Amino acid sequence: MTDPTTAAAGTAPDLGASAYVTAPEHQMSGPGKPRSLWSDAWRDLRRRPLFIIAGAVIVLLAIIAIFPSWFTSVDPNHKDLSHSRETPSGAAWFGYDLQGRDVYARVVYGARWTLLVGLSASVLTVLIGAFFGIIAGYFGRWIDGLISRIGEIFFGLPFVLGAIVILNLVRNAEIRGALPIVFAVVASIAVLSWPVAMRIMRSAAITAKQQDYVKAARALGASAPRIIFKHLLPNCLAPVLVYGTIALGAFIGAEATLSFLGIGLRDPAVSWGVMISDARNYVRVAPHMLLFPAGFLTATVLAFVMLGDAVREALDPKLR
Amino acid sequence: MGRYVLRRLLQLIPVFVGTTFLIYFLVWAVPGDPFTGMCGERPCPPQFVAAMTDKYNLDDNVVVQYLKYMGTLLTGDFGQTYAEQPIGDMIANAAPVSVRLAVIAVIIEAVIGVTAGILTGLRGRGFLDNLVLVSTLFLIAIPTFVTGFVIQIVLGFQLEILTPTVSTEAKWSELIIPGFVLGSLSMAYVSRLTRASISENRRADFMRTALAKGQPKSRIVGVHLLRNSAIPVITFLGTDIGNLMGGAIVTEGIFGIHGIGKLIFDGINDKQGAIVTGVVVLLVLVFLLVNLIIDLMYAVLDPRIRYD
């Protein structure tokens, strides 16, 4: 009922002279050009407190991840065994870990690995899922059947199990260096999650395919790649992007879970999950080693889930 | 109906074969010697390697290996570990514990989640609605292992209300807290899903008709609204049973429960490929069958859905 077009249609007979103006002309007389889905969503988002809070937290985290030295001057790898497991104090806000390293500095330097994994896993999942989804949705028939069946196979694997098996392979392959380890974790998350993005994109593409503009483009002799990229993609992107934003938070949690199990990231890529995993055996004597990285992890996931919720509500007209 | 069930069962076969082959391939077709580090610091004696290669058909190509493995598995034989322990017995020992844990988790998430969802969905915006929204947001954001550890630290170590770990028997009463931890994330999703579904259906035509017919409120909500809102929630709970069985690895690890999750995790760490493939095949089967049952339940819940 709050939809402006239905409200305008309801009052149209009472408008006298303007009743003779047809609907499209009526719209043109509004201020400026008609707003697109994206600018509409953006105007909506800017007014939401949830979005502003989540956005501020994410920007702060991004700054911490890119410039950790702005936030601490302590070397996160400096070990001083005389401080081992010391509780928080003025000198070290979050205390020291088992090997006498400053937990605050390690949390600050860990932000980049956590965010890197979350962001790249989300991007890769959306890319793979959107690619296969749009192809399955546009071409249909046996291509759709094949892609959907393959998706079901990966979907049938419980996430943690699949990730353990895949990452175990990687561990046996003796991969060293921070970036290859990050890539292995990102790839295993994406391999297990793409069917969800694929299904979302596929159903959006099937709906969009039956629209008149696609039929018109095909009648004008446009090639399949042109129709897919020029017409389908811009119109199918919104739902899969919403999924990507919400999944980002979930993937950060997934990375922490995998690292916690000892198969995710490891030295030198020390994420919050790795810190929690290192602290798990000392929960009883030194809970601060676990609670500070866990708190940061929760706040980060919370920010991304809130952002995803806000974006979904802004982009989904049904929820308005 | 019978034909539909048959068709769905036939459709399950390629997915089952695909998923289990994928797992089999990932576990066994690893480049490199599968016996490195298995016999301590020394390389394994050649007799042992020959015996094991023969036992697990490691000389065949991976497709033949898979077919031979599935052949024995379908007769109910899960094979043996390298130490000649029958895997079927290990699963039979661990499964009841995991099933109990999963049942507790599903009951907790269904009861609390659905109740919270119905209450907020019916009342609309207000204090309760905001409370549930915020608390579900937190439950979604906190990873399971953090919830587990925090509960363990607070209830187990500081207040000393409960023993921080579960005994090997794993009685029902001991599993309530781990079950709550395991189900907490899904509980949040269930309550959000129920709320969305209820508040969407609240404005549906059939609700107005039922109200206009002068039916009592309990019947409108209990029969018309709930039955129509149940489908997405039940679908979610169904997929969750499969995830809970396998996803219990983390919870079982924190509370020291000897269930399926621990079996798999130890199997991977000890490079016992036969354990991993056996358990995963079983879990995939459970997952697929539960999904089939859920599909069939749609017709009971919503007679508009017809199978033909």
Side-chain angles (χ1 to χ4, degrees):
Chain A
M1 274 300 141
T2 50
D3 188 357
T5 47
T6 48
T11 52
D14 308 324
L15 289 176
S18 62
Y20 298 100
V21 185
T22 53
E25 285 170 309
H26 209 88
Q27 275 191 347
M28 293 304 281
S29 65
K33 55 179 184 176
R35 285 183 270 133
S36 71
L37 173 70
W38 300 103
S39 64
D40 222 25
W42 175 237
R43 284 170 74 101
D44 190 51
L45 276 179
R46 273 183 309 184
R47 279 185 276 119
R48 282 171 192 273
L50 208 63
F51 173 75
I52 296 169
I53 298 170
V57 172
I58 290 169
V59 168
L60 178 67
L61 283 168
I63 297 173
I64 293 180
I66 301 169
F67 307 106
S69 52
W70 290 6
F71 293 85
T72 176
S73 50
V74 182
D75 177 4
N77 293 318
H78 175 73
K79 295 170 188 166
D80 186 349
L81 281 175
S82 63
H83 288 306
S84 175
R85 298 197 309 232
E86 236 170 59
T87 46
S89 63
W93 294 349
F94 294 175
Y96 292 94
D97 71 358
L98 185 65
Q99 302 187 359
R101 292 172 294 201
D102 186 336
V103 174
Y104 172 71
R106 285 174 73 74
V107 166
V108 165
Y109 277 88
R112 57 169 57 170
W113 300 112
T114 299
L115 289 186
L116 183 66
V117 170
L119 192 65
S120 358
S122 187
V123 169
L124 194 62
T125 305
V126 166
L127 280 181
I128 301 176
F131 176 75
F132 285 111
I134 211 162
I135 286 186
Y138 179 74
F139 290 104
R141 279 181 285 206
W142 66 270
I143 298 181
D144 181 21
L146 184 71
I147 293 178
S148 295
R149 291 298 92 72
I150 295 176
E152 271 170 24
I153 289 174
F154 282 91
F155 193 71
L157 278 180
F159 180 83
V160 182
L161 282 187
I164 288 178
V165 173
I166 296 175
L167 286 170
N168 193 51
L169 277 184
V170 175
R171 190 169 58 174
N172 290 347
E174 307 260 323
I175 289 177
R176 301 243 178 275
L179 283 179
I181 297 174
V182 167
F183 179 76
V185 174
V186 166
S188 61
I189 294 178
V191 159
L192 292 165
S193 311
W194 69 270
V196 187
M198 187 273 283
R199 287 180 179 185
I200 296 173
M201 194 65 170
R202 174 176 168 272
S203 58
I206 287 176
T207 320
K209 191 174 77 166
Q210 282 139 11
Q211 302 287 320
D212 287 340
Y213 58 84
V214 175
K215 287 183 186 155
R218 207 180 294 155
L220 285 167
S223 65
R226 188 181 159 83
I227 294 178
I228 288 176
F229 281 108
K230 276 277 188 193
H231 300 285
L232 282 185
L233 194 60
N235 287 294
C236 303
L237 213 53
V240 87
L241 282 187
V242 169
Y243 166 75
T245 328
I246 295 177
L248 215 164
F251 290 159
I252 288 178
E255 179 273 313
T257 306
L258 296 176
S259 302
F260 168 75
L261 289 172
I263 47 170
L265 299 185
R266 55 181 182 269
D267 239 4
V270 179
S271 70
W272 297 331
V274 177
M275 296 178 66
I276 296 169
S277 174
D278 288 346
R280 65 179 295 186
N281 292 330
Y282 307 95
V283 169
R284 193 164 188 172
V285 281
H288 68 272
M289 282 162 50
L290 185 133
L291 293 178
F292 284 109
F296 268 73
L297 181 70
T298 306
T300 310
V301 179
L302 193 63
F304 280 106
V305 173
M306 273 159 54
L307 182 80
D309 266 8
V311 171
R312 187 191 52 186
E313 281 175 30
L315 278 176
D316 188 350
K318 239 198 329 193
L319 288 167
R320 272 191 209 159
Chain B
M1 186 75 179
R3 280 189 57 194
Y4 177 78
V5 175
L6 196 68
R7 207 179 68 206
R8 281 298 315 260
L9 278 173
L10 289 178
Q11 276 178 352
L12 283 188
I13 294 172
V15 177
F16 177 73
V17 172
T19 312
T20 48
F21 180 74
L22 190 71
I23 285 289
Y24 193 89
F25 180 79
L26 287 174
V27 171
W28 289 103
V30 192
D33 181 9
F35 299 107
T36 34
M38 190 158 286
C39 309
E41 293 298 305
R42 294 168 297 125
C44 286
Q47 299 94 316
F48 177 78
V49 172
M52 288 302 136
T53 308
D54 183 49
K55 188 167 167 185
Y56 296 103
N57 309 313
L58 295 180
D59 275 341
D60 299 322
N61 89 35
V62 67
V63 178
V64 179
Q65 273 184 47
Y66 170 76
L67 291 177
K68 283 185 177 170
Y69 175 75
M70 285 312 274
T72 48
L73 190 73
L74 289 177
T75 62
D77 180 11
F78 280 92
Q80 294 180 325
T81 63
Y82 294 126
E84 305 208 324
Q85 265 180 296
I87 293 169
D89 289 359
M90 298 170 82
I91 294 178
N93 284 334
V97 180
S98 283
V99 169
R100 272 192 294 235
L101 189 63
V103 166
I104 290 177
V106 169
I107 290 177
I108 287 177
E109 67 190 53
V111 171
I112 301 182
V114 170
T115 315
I118 292 174
L119 288 179
T120 52
L122 285 178
R123 294 234 184 115
R125 303 228 171 252
F127 171 73
L128 191 69
D129 190 40
N130 286 332
L131 183 75
V132 170
L133 269 184
V134 171
S135 49
T136 50
L137 201 60
F138 269 95
L139 281 181
I140 291 173
I142 305 176
T144 315
F145 61 93
V146 176
T147 328
F149 273 129
V150 169
I151 287 186
Q152 200 181 33
I153 293 173
V154 174
L155 293 185
F157 295 137
Q158 293 189 340
L159 300 177
E160 297 184 353
I161 296 174
L162 61 121
T163 45
T165 50
V166 173
S167 65
T168 28
E169 301 153 53
K171 292 191 285 274
W172 285 94
S173 57
E174 286 176 305
L175 290 174
I176 292 177
I177 295 293
F180 179 81
V181 170
L182 181 62
S184 59
L185 175 67
S186 305
M187 187 170 81
Y189 283 121
V190 167
S191 73
R192 288 189 154 205
L193 210 57
T194 316
R195 177 181 172 275
S197 181
I198 293 249
S199 59
E200 196 184 309
N201 278 327
R202 210 154 56 111
R203 289 191 292 260
D205 288 343
F206 60 82
M207 288 295 287
R208 203 180 308 128
T209 312
L211 201 66
K213 279 201 308 192
Q215 297 217 314
K217 188 150 197 263
S218 59
R219 194 176 156 78
I220 297 180
V221 173
V223 177
H224 295 268
L225 185 60
L226 285 191
R227 193 167 155 182
N228 277 288
S229 312
I231 285 190
V233 180
I234 290 199
T235 313
F236 180 85
L237 283 176
T239 25
D240 211 41
I241 292 176
N243 281 329
L244 285 181
M245 297 274 303
I249 294 176
V250 176
T251 318
E252 289 185 1
I254 292 173
F255 292 99
I257 302 167
H258 296 273
I260 291 283
K262 188 176 180 335
L263 197 61
I264 294 186
F265 197 63
D266 290 350
I268 287 171
N269 279 335
D270 303 343
K271 298 190 181 177
Q272 297 275 12
I275 298 184
V276 181
T277 34
V279 178
V280 174
V281 166
L282 203 66
L283 286 178
V284 168
L285 200 61
V286 170
F287 184 76
L288 293 176
L289 287 179
V290 169
N291 276 335
L292 177 70
I293 296 170
I294 299 286
D295 265 10
L296 298 177
M297 271 174 67
Y298 286 172
V300 181
L301 288 167
D302 189 346
R304 284 172 297 185
I305 298 176
R306 289 262 169 267
Y307 304 117
D308 39 30

